[in-house]
């Protein structure tokens, strides 16, 4: 168990170094829960899009007022670029191998379908919020909001909590 491993590693300086290295690796692999100040970005289809059908098969929100997988990719990449230390979409923690894709009208994150609204939580505090607010990704969503009615809300969170990612499937 984890307790026995921690006790064994704590007995020596080499074990303590190994334990710190394991903790860093687990954090980098999103294998542990993370918390801290963050930014929550909520995006949703335009109200009229919910009743207008599936649009054109996924060429982008601008064509139909729908949020597509490409839009979530832009949002997540913008948050990483702004300095996010960890990100989750609708409570699903992202890793370096997480896919954001479409299957028909559904958006899949890590091959699991999500339903709108899409709540993207990123850890990083005020500097993240400022950097993201100036990013091309935020500008993309402000344009979609202004021109097509896509919902785009940002709010700071003092104590955001992100779960550990699911174990990878080999």
């Amino acid at each position: 168990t984890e307790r026995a491993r921690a006790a064994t590693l704590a007995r020596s300086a080499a074990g303590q170094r190994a334990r710190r290295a394991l903790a860093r690796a687990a954090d980098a692999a999103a294998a542990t829960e993370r918390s801290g100040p963050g930014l929550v970005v909520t995006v949703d289809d335009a109200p009229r899009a919910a009743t207008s059908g599936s649009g054109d098969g996924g060429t982008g929100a601008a064509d139909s007022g729908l949020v597509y997988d490409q839009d979530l990719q832009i949002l997540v990449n913008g948050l990483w670029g702004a300095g996010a230390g960890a990100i989750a979409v609708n409570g699903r923690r992202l890793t370096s191998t997480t896919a954001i894709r479409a299957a028909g009208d559904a958006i899949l994150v890590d091959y699991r379908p999500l339903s709108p609204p899409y709540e993207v939580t990123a850890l990083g505090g005020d500097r993240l919020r400022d950097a993201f607010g100036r990013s091309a990704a935020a500008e993309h969503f402000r344009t979609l909001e202004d021109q097509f009615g896509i919902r785009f809300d940002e709010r700071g969170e003092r104590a955001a909590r992100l779960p550990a990612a699911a174990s990878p499937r080999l």
Side-chain angles (χ1 to χ4, degrees):
T1 69
E2 176 60 31
R3 237 184 223 160
R5 178 174 45 187
T8 300
L9 292 174
R11 292 184 188 139
S12 69
Q16 291 170 10
R17 284 191 301 276
R19 186 173 180 203
R20 287 190 296 273
L22 283 170
R24 284 191 303 272
D27 186 52
T32 57
E33 181 179 293
R34 291 274 306 267
S35 62
L39 175 65
V40 179
V41 180
T42 304
V43 296
D44 197 0
D45 298 335
R48 70 187 186 298
T51 60
S52 67
S54 63
D56 61 6
T59 61
D63 295 325
S64 64
L66 296 174
V67 175
Y68 288 102
D69 59 323
Q70 303 99 311
D71 299 310
L72 280 184
Q73 291 168 0
I74 289 168
L75 176 56
V76 166
N77 288 332
L79 288 164
W80 286 127
I87 299 176
V89 179
N90 285 21
R92 297 203 57 86
R93 179 84 174 271
L94 304 185
T95 71
S96 62
T97 60
T98 299
I100 299 175
R101 301 272 191 268
D105 290 338
I107 294 177
L108 310 176
V109 173
D110 210 14
Y111 305 104
R112 305 249 191 262
L114 301 182
S115 298
Y118 305 102
E119 187 173 272
V120 181
T121 305
L123 297 184
D126 290 338
R127 291 196 319 189
L128 171 65
R129 186 173 190 170
D130 293 342
F132 177 73
R134 295 186 307 271
S135 73
E139 185 60 33
H140 172 79
F141 277 95
R142 283 192 287 270
T143 299
L144 294 178
E145 179 180 44
D146 291 344
Q147 294 183 359
F148 304 101
I150 296 290
R151 178 178 164 205
F152 173 61
D153 297 316
E154 302 172 67
R155 74 176 193 282
E157 186 78 30
R158 284 185 179 202
R161 297 184 67 82
L162 302 183
S167 296
R169 290 177 288 173
L170 302 176

